[in-house]
Amino acid sequence: MAGITMTDVGKIYPGGTRAIEGVDLEINDGEFVVLVGPSGCGKSTLLRMIAGLEDITEGQIVIGDTVVNDIPPKDRNIAMVFQNYALYPHMTVFDNMAFGLKLRKMPKEEISRRVEEAAKVLEITEYLQRKPKALSGGQRQRVAMGRAIVREPAAFLMDEPLSNLDAKLRVQMRSELGTLHARLKTTTVYVTHDQVEAMTMGDRVAVMRKGLLQQAATPRRLYDHPVNLFVAGFIGSPSMNFVYGKIEGEGDNLSVAFGDDRLAISRALLEAKPSLNDHLGEELVVGLRPETFEIKEAIQGHVDESRGIDIDVDLVEQLGSEAFLHFTKPMPPVVTPDIQELLADEGTDASSLGNESKLVARVNPDFAPRGPQNVRLIVDTSKLHFFTKDGAALY
């Protein structure tokens, strides 16, 4: 096993198109790091650069103690798992898993030992004599994983390996990959477009945008302390709500005003974000995660009405363990370059948003209305996020 270090890594294609710029990222030995971001952000290109399938234009990549910039893929001691499995249809499962070892002229006894051990770990021993066409999608994915495992590489590189599976099987395979990594402890770099997948699997998650690394941190830190508007909007499902707001007041008595609403800012938030006093009267972007809201009647004990807003519910989604309230507010939606890019990745044209802001609240399902009606929500203002219009988070 080995760690992977990228220093000022860049990729420029012939003609001058830049795909990757100035990536600095250190992946520790045995760590599971997920590269995530919108389509075209460069995450797969960066993975292919680590693998040696794409040339490195700038910077340096080190695997273990070896600079691999000019080392061919076959000599980098890595194993790659692709989106399409890339199994040989005319070979049995055993032969697919053993193929790479045979090319390396490994003794038959050692090949059999490795294949059988990997098959046992992946619970595909009974399929070793079958061909890929006789396997389900999940079984084929296990074979692709097995082919990587038998090589006993320094690192696994995985490029959206679960994207071809249906939703239920994808959840199952996420769990199995996590268990497998805990057992093998092999350094893993995993690419996905699915931020839920990223958050549930990674020891750390690296968010990319237009070839630039935005933030690399634990899933919890990304969620609680995004460094900019783009990361805040990309991480979280449902995504963070954004509104334009202004900070008013002075000292410890600050409030944030947006539209027709005004919320008292908690002392805990002021202690966590002391720079808020430097932005009094400035129009900022305020971020409210869906769970920041709760229905007034669902709160036990004292209710601070200075942190309440009235809403007209447009739609209720009851999911059993939680409920989502969709509502609008009569104020212009936030449409910064960061938000426009996030909307475009979702297939939404920012020009279609109109003059109202659409928001989502995640609330206690026992108190959620059955349909459209007026509801009072209390906001936990200790969990508000603030960003300048150019996208930088305030602390």
Side-chain angles (χ1 to χ4, degrees):
M1 295 189 293
I4 300 171
T5 301
M6 288 167 268
T7 306
D8 200 25
V9 169
K11 173 70 179 181
I12 304 174
Y13 287 107
T17 301
R18 178 175 283 281
I20 301 292
E21 180 175 0
V23 170
D24 290 305
L25 181 62
E26 184 169 349
I27 300 169
N28 300 319
D29 185 10
E31 192 175 21
F32 195 120
V33 170
V34 180
L35 304 180
V36 69
S39 299
C41 70
K43 55 189 182 294
S44 289
T45 300
L46 186 60
L47 190 79
R48 290 171 63 84
M49 291 168 73
I50 299 171
L53 302 176
E54 293 275 2
D55 294 333
I56 301 165
T57 309
E58 303 164 337
Q60 178 176 277
I61 296 180
V62 178
I63 299 178
D65 298 320
T66 305
V67 178
V68 299
N69 288 34
D70 300 315
I71 294 178
K74 65 183 180 65
D75 298 325
R76 294 195 182 192
N77 193 23
I78 52 89
M80 196 155 181
V81 180
F82 296 93
Q83 177 178 346
N84 62 0
Y85 317 141
L87 302 178
Y88 296 106
H90 63 287
M91 292 185 182
T92 64
V93 168
F94 183 98
D95 290 335
N96 264 285
M97 292 172 63
F99 186 70
L101 303 182
K102 290 178 180 178
L103 289 180
R104 291 160 64 182
K105 307 288 193 230
M106 190 169 287
K108 288 184 178 180
E109 296 79 9
E110 178 65 10
I111 291 175
S112 294
R113 182 190 68 79
R114 291 194 184 191
V115 171
E116 288 167 7
E117 283 187 1
K120 185 176 180 180
V121 168
L122 295 164
E123 299 181 353
I124 55 173
T125 301
E126 62 186 286
Y127 308 124
L128 286 176
Q129 298 311 312
R130 294 189 188 181
K131 292 184 177 178
K133 67 180 180 181
L135 304 177
S136 67
Q139 290 163 350
R140 291 178 192 178
Q141 185 55 264
R142 287 188 179 90
V143 176
M145 284 296 305
R147 184 176 51 195
I149 290 171
V150 297
R151 295 183 56 185
E152 299 181 357
F156 292 132
L157 307 180
M158 302 186 186
D159 192 3
E160 303 211 42
L162 308 184
S163 61
N164 286 338
L165 304 179
D166 62 53
K168 183 177 180 180
L169 187 54
R170 195 158 57 240
V171 172
Q172 178 186 335
M173 287 301 296
R174 281 205 310 251
S175 174
E176 292 183 7
L177 277 176
T179 301
L180 184 64
H181 177 258
R183 180 170 180 173
L184 298 177
K185 294 182 172 57
T186 304
T187 306
T188 301
V189 186
Y190 186 104
V191 163
T192 182
H193 177 271
D194 184 339
Q195 58 94 11
V196 175
E197 196 168 280
M199 297 288 279
T200 55
M201 296 181 70
D203 296 324
R204 280 190 300 150
V205 177
V207 181
M208 296 192 66
R209 176 194 185 193
K210 294 182 177 179
L212 295 168
L213 178 62
Q214 302 293 298
Q215 185 175 3
T218 64
R220 188 62 196 235
R221 181 153 191 87
L222 274 184
Y223 194 82
D224 290 339
H225 303 285
V227 297
N228 58 38
L229 194 58
F230 180 84
V231 174
F234 190 81
I235 297 297
S237 182
S239 58
M240 185 182 287
N241 301 292
F242 296 109
V243 297
Y244 288 118
K246 289 184 179 180
I247 299 175
E248 301 175 344
E250 59 180 294
D252 291 340
N253 297 311
L254 296 186
S255 61
V256 57
F258 53 94
D260 297 328
D261 294 299
R262 182 173 280 97
L263 299 173
I265 296 177
S266 72
R267 185 177 299 275
L269 184 69
L270 291 175
E271 292 175 354
K273 302 182 189 295
S275 69
L276 292 181
N277 273 295
D278 300 330
H279 296 271
L280 293 177
E282 179 183 341
E283 187 168 64
L284 301 170
V285 177
V286 184
L288 306 95
R289 291 213 180 272
E291 63 272 19
T292 304
F293 302 99
E294 186 54 273
I295 294 174
K296 176 183 175 181
E297 288 74 17
I299 298 175
Q300 297 181 352
H302 174 70
V303 174
D304 186 348
E305 289 287 355
S306 69
R307 292 171 189 150
I309 63 173
D310 292 308
I311 68 166
D312 291 315
V313 177
D314 299 321
L315 173 69
V316 179
E317 291 182 295
Q318 268 285 3
L319 302 180
S321 61
E322 58 192 3
F324 295 140
L325 307 185
H326 296 257
F327 60 100
T328 56
K329 281 289 183 178
M331 52 190 176
V334 175
V335 189
T336 67
D338 306 75
I339 300 301
Q340 286 181 312
E341 185 175 343
L342 291 167
L343 290 171
D345 187 54
E346 297 172 356
T348 302
D349 184 353
S351 63
S352 68
L353 296 180
N355 291 315
E356 291 187 318
S357 293
K358 297 181 179 180
L359 309 176
V360 181
R362 178 189 277 124
V363 301
N364 187 324
D366 295 334
F367 294 86
R370 294 189 176 184
Q373 70 178 66
N374 181 267
V375 170
R376 186 159 180 81
L377 298 178
I378 303 299
V379 182
D380 183 352
T381 57
S382 69
K383 296 180 179 178
L384 295 181
H385 297 262
F386 292 87
F387 308 87
T388 61
K389 283 189 174 180
D390 64 5
L394 298 183
Y395 294 104

